[in-house]
Amino acid sequence: MDGCDCIEPLWPTDDLLVKYQYISDFFIALAYFSIPLELIYFVKKSSFFPYRWVLIQFGAFIVLCGATHLINLWTFTTHTKTVAIVMTIAKVSTAVVSCATALMLVHIIPDLLSVKTRELFLKNKAEELDREMGLIRTQEETGRHVRMLTHEIRSTLDRHTILKTTLVELGRTLGLEECALWMPSRSGSSLQLSHTLRHQITVGSSVPINLPVVNQVFSSNRAIIIPHTSPLARIRPLTGRYVPPEVAAVRVPLLHLSNFQINDWPELSAKSFAIMVLMLPSDSARKWHVHELELVEVVADQVAVALSHAAILEESMRARDLLMEQNVALDLARREAEMAIRARNDFLAVMNHEMRTPMNAIIALSSLLLETELTPEQRLMVETVLKSSNLLATLINDVLDLSKLEDGSLELEIKTFNLHAVFKEVMSFIKPIASIKRLSVSVMLAPDLPLSAIGDEKRLMQTILNISGNAVKFTKEGHITLVASIVKAESLREFRTPEFHPTASDDHFYLKVQVKDTGCGISPQDLPHVFTKFAHPQSGGNRGFNGSGLGLAICKRFVSLMGGHIWLDSEGTGRGCTATFIIKLGVCDNTNTYQQQLIPLVWPSSADSDSSGPKALPEGKGASSLKSRYQRSV
């Protein structure tokens, strides 16, 4: 151990080294004191830093370290005990603050790491928000382009203009090199090139519709990328060397009127599609973006709607032209019908004047001739002439009445008249003809039948006379009964039909007239046709009777004009017939006017040829006047 030199000998104090240490401690102390000032400035200027108390603790630690180095400057020379105590206190304080700071950092570091994590999360969120804002701006731009394209497309309703405008606007908006439209042919077996943007290839070329690429486009409602070598992409000449461009295709529905289904209506025709092909510029690295494809899809739908509107407009224009042609034809037909009606009216007026005068002369002279002494053969010929003349006169009157009814020129003459006198006048016409055929004629008027009424006396008398005349005409033997009564208010419901709706009122009443005969009758199959113009029954019971077939048709028109209804009942051939009609007449309060003019209807009670009621008519003057009226009537 004596010879060991492992202990370093004491090194004497060097003034130069002490000076260097002295200077170093001074600058260390200066730096330590400047750092708290910077921290105080940072805390003051920062309003969101979450760990201010930690900075304050760090500042205290640094201040104590600086004070330690500063006090250490007096320890390089001989110093007093006070300096040593101050130095010791400063080091102990520094040790305590440094340990507390170290323990505090153990708790702060995880929070600082979490702050860093949140910072990264917020950064990612900010980047995602930036992407979404970019997408929103892209969508807004796409929407603006769509609105612009829609406005341009819908500014016209011509299909060729719509398609051409679509290609031009898409080419300008998307910067396309070429854009084309393939339309289905009339046969539906191929697609024909109908419109192009640059006109780089002849329009009219076709491709089969059953190609796989065509089926792929038809089966998708989205825009898809197709190979540039496909037949649909051959919309520009293959000249020169270029980088193959990307080509997109989308289907365009061709909507027809039958495609707009209502409820469960079946679709009348299959849906058809056109194909729009869009080509990006060649010799570039440009690719289709999602928002561009979405823009193409929206434009394709807008084109479909615009084409449907154009088709509807064309259809409506064709319908309008057809309607105009029909209106012109109808107007021409109306004018021709008016001319025909005027010609018919002129003819009927001439016939009324020129034919009635000689016909009345023939009837009058034939009637007078029958009163002279004639041989049986001559009497038969004169009766034939008289019968034919009467038939012809009746036909002329019926034709004139029917003509007025059909053209609407016939108007009812509404006035107050003697209702009982109408039936008396009818009987005065019918009885002489019935007496020749030895038929019994009777008339029965209801006790409550009013003496007078308001209506068309002439048309009522003509209707009753026509029906009664038919009864006399089609009856060979037996009797004819005419019954007139008022329909009670509670019985009106029984006579209602789809065309006849009687209603009770204090201002009017309904007159019911029935004419029953024991004549040849009408078969059930002929009943629906008895009121048809120029219709003749086909049953054998009345084939021997001649007539124009207009009488009942005119009666039905008269009854309808008077607000009534008419019908016939028959149990069959040979069982007679009952004709019934109901008309509406006005109630007349003043009946005294006709009280003195009324002659009661009284007829002999016996069943001879002159019998028709409970009491007899007076002979003499009445009979002679009846005869004269009969002659005038025939």
Side-chain angles (χ1 to χ4, degrees):
M1 294 295 297
D2 294 338
C4 182
D5 194 13
C6 53
I7 298 176
E8 185 178 359
L10 297 174
W11 181 66
T13 301
D14 190 355
D15 292 338
L16 182 60
L17 294 178
V18 172
K19 289 181 180 180
Y20 283 138
Q21 291 181 6
Y22 184 85
I23 294 172
S24 298
D25 285 336
F26 175 77
F27 282 106
I28 290 174
L30 182 62
Y32 272 126
F33 286 124
S34 64
I35 290 175
L37 297 177
E38 295 174 0
L39 290 177
I40 292 172
Y41 176 78
F42 174 75
V43 171
K44 184 178 180 181
K45 292 295 182 181
S46 177
S47 60
F48 57 89
F49 192 77
Y51 300 106
R52 295 189 179 187
W53 56 274
V54 176
L55 292 179
I56 294 174
Q57 191 171 355
F58 265 107
F61 167 70
I62 294 173
V63 168
L64 290 175
C65 290
T68 302
H69 283 280
L70 183 61
I71 296 172
N72 194 39
L73 294 177
W74 281 273
T75 60
F76 290 104
T77 57
T78 303
H79 52 278
T80 62
K81 185 178 180 180
T82 303
V83 174
I85 293 173
V86 172
M87 184 66 180
T88 302
I89 294 173
K91 288 186 176 183
V92 171
S93 300
T94 303
V96 171
V97 173
S98 62
C99 291
T101 304
L103 294 176
M104 189 59 62
L105 287 177
V106 174
H107 298 285
I108 292 176
I109 288 175
D111 293 339
L112 293 176
L113 293 177
S114 64
V115 170
K116 185 64 175 178
T117 303
R118 285 195 296 271
E119 181 182 356
L120 293 176
F121 175 76
L122 292 175
K123 183 178 180 181
N124 294 334
K125 283 295 184 180
E127 293 177 356
E128 183 178 355
L129 183 60
D130 290 339
R131 289 193 298 269
E132 290 179 356
M133 290 299 296
L135 181 61
I136 291 174
R137 286 192 294 269
T138 303
Q139 291 177 350
E140 289 180 352
E141 183 179 0
T142 302
R144 182 173 58 83
H145 287 304
V146 168
R147 288 192 297 272
M148 179 183 65
L149 286 172
T150 302
H151 175 73
E152 294 294 333
I153 291 172
R154 293 189 178 181
S155 61
T156 179
L157 286 177
D158 180 70
R159 285 189 290 182
H160 297 286
T161 306
I162 290 172
L163 297 176
K164 187 63 180 178
T165 303
T166 301
L167 299 184
V168 171
E169 294 299 330
L170 279 177
R172 183 177 61 183
T173 302
L174 300 178
L176 302 177
E177 181 174 346
E178 186 57 282
C179 184
L181 193 71
W182 297 85
M183 299 291 290
S185 61
R186 293 185 179 272
S187 61
S189 60
S190 62
L191 293 175
Q192 295 181 346
L193 186 64
S194 62
H195 297 78
T196 59
L197 177 61
R198 311 293 181 189
H199 305 288
Q200 299 180 5
I201 192 171
T202 304
V203 174
S205 59
S206 61
V207 296
I209 204 170
N210 55 358
L211 292 177
V213 64
V214 174
N215 295 329
Q216 182 183 3
V217 176
F218 281 173
S219 60
S220 175
N221 58 355
R222 308 297 298 272
I224 61 175
I225 306 299
I226 62 174
H228 70 281
T229 56
S230 66
L232 292 177
R234 295 173 185 172
I235 56 178
R236 54 159 292 172
L238 301 176
T239 57
R241 300 178 60 185
Y242 62 92
V243 177
E246 271 200 350
V247 182
V250 64
R251 72 181 189 185
V252 179
L254 301 179
L255 305 178
H256 303 281
L257 293 178
S258 58
N259 295 130
F260 298 95
Q261 300 183 15
I262 301 176
N263 297 331
D264 297 329
W265 289 8
E267 190 173 348
L268 300 180
S269 62
K271 292 181 180 179
S272 58
F273 299 97
I275 295 181
M276 186 186 300
V277 179
L278 305 96
M279 181 180 294
L280 292 176
S282 57
D283 298 328
S284 66
R286 180 180 168 187
K287 302 295 181 182
W288 283 102
H289 297 288
V290 176
H291 70 276
E292 293 177 337
L293 295 178
E294 291 178 352
L295 173 63
V296 171
E297 294 166 5
V298 174
V299 171
D301 293 336
Q302 294 296 325
V303 170
V305 174
L307 290 178
S308 67
H309 290 174
I312 293 174
L313 177 64
E314 292 179 0
E315 186 69 22
S316 63
M317 293 180 65
R318 285 194 296 268
R320 184 195 62 182
D321 295 340
L322 179 61
L323 184 61
M324 291 179 62
E325 294 177 359
Q326 293 177 350
N327 289 337
V328 172
L330 287 176
D331 185 64
L332 181 61
R334 180 182 60 82
R335 293 180 181 178
E336 293 177 352
E338 290 176 352
M339 293 176 62
I341 290 174
R342 286 195 296 268
R344 183 190 64 182
N345 291 338
D346 294 341
F347 169 75
L348 292 177
V350 173
M351 185 177 66
N352 182 29
H353 183 269
E354 300 297 334
M355 295 184 67
R356 275 189 173 183
T357 302
M359 189 59 57
N360 292 335
I362 293 173
I363 294 172
L365 293 176
S366 299
S367 301
L368 293 175
L369 189 58
L370 281 176
E371 297 179 0
T372 62
E373 294 182 0
L374 299 173
T375 63
E377 185 177 353
Q378 291 174 340
R379 182 171 295 276
L380 179 61
M381 289 188 294
V382 173
E383 288 178 353
T384 302
V385 172
L386 182 59
K387 183 178 180 180
S388 301
S389 301
N390 286 326
L391 180 62
L392 184 57
T394 303
L395 177 61
I396 293 173
N397 294 332
D398 290 347
V399 169
L400 291 174
D401 290 338
L402 183 64
S403 175
K404 292 181 179 180
L405 286 170
E406 287 185 342
D407 61 18
S409 62
L410 181 64
E411 296 181 358
L412 297 179
E413 299 177 5
I414 305 299
K415 61 181 181 179
T416 303
F417 65 94
N418 192 320
L419 185 57
H420 289 209
V422 170
F423 292 99
K424 179 180 181 299
E425 201 68 27
V426 170
M427 294 309 298
S428 66
F429 291 149
I430 296 299
K431 188 180 184 305
I433 303 176
S435 63
I436 295 176
K437 301 180 70 172
R438 298 184 179 277
L439 299 176
S440 173
V441 180
S442 62
V443 58
M444 291 184 290
L445 305 181
D448 57 348
L449 187 68
L451 178 61
S452 59
I454 300 176
D456 192 332
E457 177 185 10
K458 180 180 177 181
R459 305 306 173 190
L460 174 60
M461 182 181 297
Q462 189 173 351
T463 303
I464 300 174
L465 186 59
N466 205 329
I467 296 176
S468 302
N470 282 342
V472 175
K473 177 180 178 180
F474 293 105
T475 303
K476 293 182 178 180
E477 59 182 6
H479 64 276
I480 298 170
T481 305
L482 190 152
V483 181
S485 61
I486 294 180
V487 182
K488 303 298 182 182
E490 58 272 11
S491 303
L492 288 176
R493 187 182 301 272
E494 301 175 3
F495 301 103
R496 287 185 178 177
T497 64
E499 298 84 11
F500 181 54
H501 303 279
T503 57
S505 174
D506 295 336
D507 298 331
H508 63 263
F509 67 95
Y510 286 90
L511 173 66
K512 177 183 177 184
V513 179
Q514 277 188 333
V515 179
K516 299 180 181 180
D517 63 68
T518 58
C520 59
I522 303 175
S523 62
Q525 60 268 23
D526 290 332
L527 278 176
H529 308 291
V530 293
F531 295 105
T532 305
K533 295 183 296 184
F534 306 108
H536 296 276
Q538 302 299 321
S539 58
N542 47 16
R543 286 184 179 177
F545 301 96
N546 296 323
S548 61
L550 291 176
L552 290 178
I554 294 175
C555 288
K556 183 176 178 64
R557 299 288 185 92
F558 284 159
V559 170
S560 298
L561 282 177
M562 291 185 286
H565 179 57
I566 185 172
W567 69 95
L568 264 67
D569 296 317
S570 180
E571 296 181 359
T573 305
R575 297 187 177 182
C577 180
T578 301
T580 308
F581 69 88
I582 299 176
I583 61 171
K584 183 171 69 173
L585 297 175
V587 176
C588 180
D589 296 331
N590 186 12
T591 60
N592 296 326
T593 306
Y594 299 96
Q595 189 67 35
Q596 301 298 329
Q597 301 178 4
L598 177 62
I599 301 177
L601 290 177
V602 289
W603 301 92
S605 59
S606 59
D608 59 358
S609 60
D610 296 334
S611 64
S612 63
K615 296 181 181 180
L617 270 175
E619 297 290 339
K621 185 177 180 180
S624 62
S625 63
L626 180 63
K627 181 177 180 180
S628 62
R629 283 199 303 271
Y630 167 64
Q631 291 178 350
R632 287 197 302 272
S633 68
V634 299

